[in-house]
PDB file of all heavy atoms in Angstrom:
ATOM      1  N   VAL A1078      -0.442  -3.736   5.937  1.00 94.00           N
ATOM      2  CA  VAL A1078       0.841  -4.141   5.345  1.00 94.00           C
ATOM      3  C   VAL A1078       1.973  -3.189   5.723  1.00 94.00           C
ATOM      4  O   VAL A1078       3.144  -3.566   5.685  1.00 94.00           O
ATOM      5  CB  VAL A1078       0.765  -4.256   3.805  1.00 94.00           C
ATOM      6  CG1 VAL A1078      -0.204  -5.345   3.393  1.00 94.00           C
ATOM      7  CG2 VAL A1078       0.396  -2.925   3.164  1.00 94.00           C
ATOM      8  N   SER A1079       1.644  -1.965   6.112  1.00 92.00           N
ATOM      9  CA  SER A1079       2.687  -1.032   6.548  1.00 92.00           C
ATOM     10  C   SER A1079       3.010  -1.202   8.027  1.00 92.00           C
ATOM     11  O   SER A1079       4.090  -0.806   8.482  1.00 92.00           O
ATOM     12  CB  SER A1079       2.249   0.413   6.280  1.00 92.00           C
ATOM     13  OG  SER A1079       1.157   0.777   7.105  1.00 92.00           O
ATOM     14  N   GLU A1080       2.086  -1.806   8.797  1.00 93.00           N
ATOM     15  CA  GLU A1080       2.276  -1.966  10.234  1.00 93.00           C
ATOM     16  C   GLU A1080       2.876  -3.317  10.617  1.00 93.00           C
ATOM     17  O   GLU A1080       3.578  -3.420  11.632  1.00 93.00           O
ATOM     18  CB  GLU A1080       0.935  -1.788  10.954  1.00 93.00           C
ATOM     19  CG  GLU A1080       0.382  -0.380  10.877  1.00 93.00           C
ATOM     20  CD  GLU A1080      -1.013  -0.273  11.456  1.00 93.00           C
ATOM     21  OE1 GLU A1080      -1.886  -1.070  11.056  1.00 93.00           O
ATOM     22  OE2 GLU A1080      -1.241   0.612  12.296  1.00 93.00           O
ATOM     23  N   MET A1081       2.612  -4.345   9.835  1.00 94.00           N
ATOM     24  CA  MET A1081       3.057  -5.688  10.198  1.00 94.00           C
ATOM     25  C   MET A1081       4.578  -5.882  10.136  1.00 94.00           C
ATOM     26  O   MET A1081       5.164  -6.494  11.018  1.00 94.00           O
ATOM     27  CB  MET A1081       2.365  -6.729   9.302  1.00 94.00           C
ATOM     28  CG  MET A1081       0.885  -6.919   9.572  1.00 94.00           C
ATOM     29  SD  MET A1081       0.547  -7.505  11.260  1.00 94.00           S
ATOM     30  CE  MET A1081      -0.150  -6.022  11.985  1.00 94.00           C
ATOM     31  N   PRO A1082       5.287  -5.379   9.120  1.00 93.00           N
ATOM     32  CA  PRO A1082       6.740  -5.630   9.047  1.00 93.00           C
ATOM     33  C   PRO A1082       7.512  -4.807  10.073  1.00 93.00           C
ATOM     34  O   PRO A1082       7.023  -3.801  10.605  1.00 93.00           O
ATOM     35  CB  PRO A1082       7.110  -5.185   7.621  1.00 93.00           C
ATOM     36  CG  PRO A1082       5.820  -5.049   6.883  1.00 93.00           C
ATOM     37  CD  PRO A1082       4.805  -4.681   7.912  1.00 93.00           C
ATOM     38  N   SER A1083       8.749  -5.222  10.343  1.00 91.00           N
ATOM     39  CA  SER A1083       9.653  -4.425  11.168  1.00 91.00           C
ATOM     40  C   SER A1083      10.110  -3.223  10.360  1.00 91.00           C
ATOM     41  O   SER A1083      10.059  -3.232   9.126  1.00 91.00           O
ATOM     42  CB  SER A1083      10.868  -5.262  11.587  1.00 91.00           C
ATOM     43  OG  SER A1083      11.627  -5.622  10.450  1.00 91.00           O
ATOM     44  N   SER A1084      10.570  -2.168  11.030  1.00 88.00           N
ATOM     45  CA  SER A1084      10.961  -0.947  10.318  1.00 88.00           C
ATOM     46  C   SER A1084      12.167  -1.192   9.408  1.00 88.00           C
ATOM     47  O   SER A1084      12.267  -0.619   8.325  1.00 88.00           O
ATOM     48  CB  SER A1084      11.262   0.175  11.313  1.00 88.00           C
ATOM     49  OG  SER A1084      12.350  -0.161  12.149  1.00 88.00           O
ATOM     50  N   ARG A1085      13.073  -2.071   9.834  1.00 88.00           N
ATOM     51  CA  ARG A1085      14.281  -2.339   9.043  1.00 88.00           C
ATOM     52  C   ARG A1085      13.961  -3.134   7.772  1.00 88.00           C
ATOM     53  O   ARG A1085      14.692  -3.069   6.794  1.00 88.00           O
ATOM     54  CB  ARG A1085      15.300  -3.103   9.881  1.00 88.00           C
ATOM     55  CG  ARG A1085      15.949  -2.248  10.963  1.00 88.00           C
ATOM     56  CD  ARG A1085      16.733  -3.110  11.953  1.00 88.00           C
ATOM     57  NE  ARG A1085      17.776  -3.895  11.323  1.00 88.00           N
ATOM     58  CZ  ARG A1085      18.964  -3.427  10.942  1.00 88.00           C
ATOM     59  NH1 ARG A1085      19.247  -2.147  11.119  1.00 88.00           N
ATOM     60  NH2 ARG A1085      19.864  -4.209  10.392  1.00 88.00           N
ATOM     61  N   LEU A1086      12.870  -3.883   7.804  1.00 91.00           N
ATOM     62  CA  LEU A1086      12.493  -4.701   6.644  1.00 91.00           C
ATOM     63  C   LEU A1086      11.178  -4.237   6.021  1.00 91.00           C
ATOM     64  O   LEU A1086      10.613  -4.941   5.179  1.00 91.00           O
ATOM     65  CB  LEU A1086      12.368  -6.170   7.064  1.00 91.00           C
ATOM     66  CG  LEU A1086      13.665  -6.877   7.461  1.00 91.00           C
ATOM     67  CD1 LEU A1086      13.367  -8.242   8.071  1.00 91.00           C
ATOM     68  CD2 LEU A1086      14.590  -7.027   6.267  1.00 91.00           C
ATOM     69  N   ARG A1087      10.710  -3.062   6.430  1.00 91.00           N
ATOM     70  CA  ARG A1087       9.383  -2.622   5.988  1.00 91.00           C
ATOM     71  C   ARG A1087       9.288  -2.522   4.467  1.00 91.00           C
ATOM     72  O   ARG A1087       8.370  -3.071   3.852  1.00 91.00           O
ATOM     73  CB  ARG A1087       9.015  -1.285   6.624  1.00 91.00           C
ATOM     74  CG  ARG A1087       7.589  -0.820   6.234  1.00 91.00           C
ATOM     75  CD  ARG A1087       7.182   0.436   6.983  1.00 91.00           C
ATOM     76  NE  ARG A1087       7.094   0.158   8.395  1.00 91.00           N
ATOM     77  CZ  ARG A1087       7.804   0.796   9.333  1.00 91.00           C
ATOM     78  NH1 ARG A1087       8.657   1.743   8.978  1.00 91.00           N
ATOM     79  NH2 ARG A1087       7.676   0.489  10.592  1.00 91.00           N
ATOM     80  N   THR A1088      10.222  -1.828   3.849  1.00 90.00           N
ATOM     81  CA  THR A1088      10.148  -1.642   2.400  1.00 90.00           C
ATOM     82  C   THR A1088      10.170  -2.969   1.669  1.00 90.00           C
ATOM     83  O   THR A1088       9.352  -3.227   0.775  1.00 90.00           O
ATOM     84  CB  THR A1088      11.313  -0.764   1.904  1.00 90.00           C
ATOM     85  OG1 THR A1088      11.259   0.507   2.557  1.00 90.00           O
ATOM     86  CG2 THR A1088      11.230  -0.559   0.403  1.00 90.00           C
ATOM     87  N   LYS A1089      11.095  -3.851   2.052  1.00 92.00           N
ATOM     88  CA  LYS A1089      11.215  -5.135   1.346  1.00 92.00           C
ATOM     89  C   LYS A1089      10.020  -6.039   1.636  1.00 92.00           C
ATOM     90  O   LYS A1089       9.573  -6.784   0.755  1.00 92.00           O
ATOM     91  CB  LYS A1089      12.533  -5.811   1.735  1.00 92.00           C
ATOM     92  CG  LYS A1089      13.757  -5.122   1.129  1.00 92.00           C
ATOM     93  CD  LYS A1089      15.037  -5.849   1.459  1.00 92.00           C
ATOM     94  CE  LYS A1089      16.227  -5.252   0.689  1.00 92.00           C
ATOM     95  NZ  LYS A1089      16.463  -3.841   1.024  1.00 92.00           N
ATOM     96  N   SER A1090       9.491  -5.994   2.858  1.00 93.00           N
ATOM     97  CA  SER A1090       8.318  -6.808   3.178  1.00 93.00           C
ATOM     98  C   SER A1090       7.103  -6.344   2.387  1.00 93.00           C
ATOM     99  O   SER A1090       6.321  -7.166   1.879  1.00 93.00           O
ATOM    100  CB  SER A1090       8.012  -6.737   4.685  1.00 93.00           C
ATOM    101  OG  SER A1090       9.054  -7.306   5.441  1.00 93.00           O
ATOM    102  N   ILE A1091       6.932  -5.020   2.276  1.00 93.00           N
ATOM    103  CA  ILE A1091       5.812  -4.484   1.503  1.00 93.00           C
ATOM    104  C   ILE A1091       5.981  -4.833   0.027  1.00 93.00           C
ATOM    105  O   ILE A1091       5.007  -5.146  -0.675  1.00 93.00           O
ATOM    106  CB  ILE A1091       5.695  -2.958   1.704  1.00 93.00           C
ATOM    107  CG1 ILE A1091       5.294  -2.655   3.158  1.00 93.00           C
ATOM    108  CG2 ILE A1091       4.670  -2.359   0.756  1.00 93.00           C
ATOM    109  CD1 ILE A1091       5.239  -1.174   3.484  1.00 93.00           C
ATOM    110  N   VAL A1092       7.218  -4.808  -0.460  1.00 92.00           N
ATOM    111  CA  VAL A1092       7.493  -5.194  -1.845  1.00 92.00           C
ATOM    112  C   VAL A1092       7.094  -6.654  -2.073  1.00 92.00           C
ATOM    113  O   VAL A1092       6.428  -6.992  -3.059  1.00 92.00           O
ATOM    114  CB  VAL A1092       8.984  -4.990  -2.185  1.00 92.00           C
ATOM    115  CG1 VAL A1092       9.358  -5.738  -3.460  1.00 92.00           C
ATOM    116  CG2 VAL A1092       9.290  -3.505  -2.339  1.00 92.00           C
ATOM    117  N   LEU A1093       7.499  -7.528  -1.170  1.00 94.00           N
ATOM    118  CA  LEU A1093       7.145  -8.942  -1.295  1.00 94.00           C
ATOM    119  C   LEU A1093       5.632  -9.133  -1.249  1.00 94.00           C
ATOM    120  O   LEU A1093       5.070  -9.903  -2.037  1.00 94.00           O
ATOM    121  CB  LEU A1093       7.811  -9.755  -0.172  1.00 94.00           C
ATOM    122  CG  LEU A1093       9.328  -9.939  -0.274  1.00 94.00           C
ATOM    123  CD1 LEU A1093       9.869 -10.555   1.016  1.00 94.00           C
ATOM    124  CD2 LEU A1093       9.692 -10.817  -1.467  1.00 94.00           C
ATOM    125  N   ALA A1094       4.990  -8.422  -0.323  1.00 94.00           N
ATOM    126  CA  ALA A1094       3.535  -8.544  -0.179  1.00 94.00           C
ATOM    127  C   ALA A1094       2.825  -8.083  -1.449  1.00 94.00           C
ATOM    128  O   ALA A1094       1.904  -8.746  -1.945  1.00 94.00           O
ATOM    129  CB  ALA A1094       3.059  -7.740   1.025  1.00 94.00           C
TER     130      ALA A1094
END
Side-chain angles (χ1 to χ4, degrees):
V1078 296
S1079 67
E1080 293 173 308
M1081 289 299 108
S1083 64
S1084 62
R1085 288 168 59 78
L1086 292 171
R1087 183 174 295 122
T1088 301
K1089 288 183 172 61
S1090 295
I1091 293 176
V1092 164
L1093 289 171

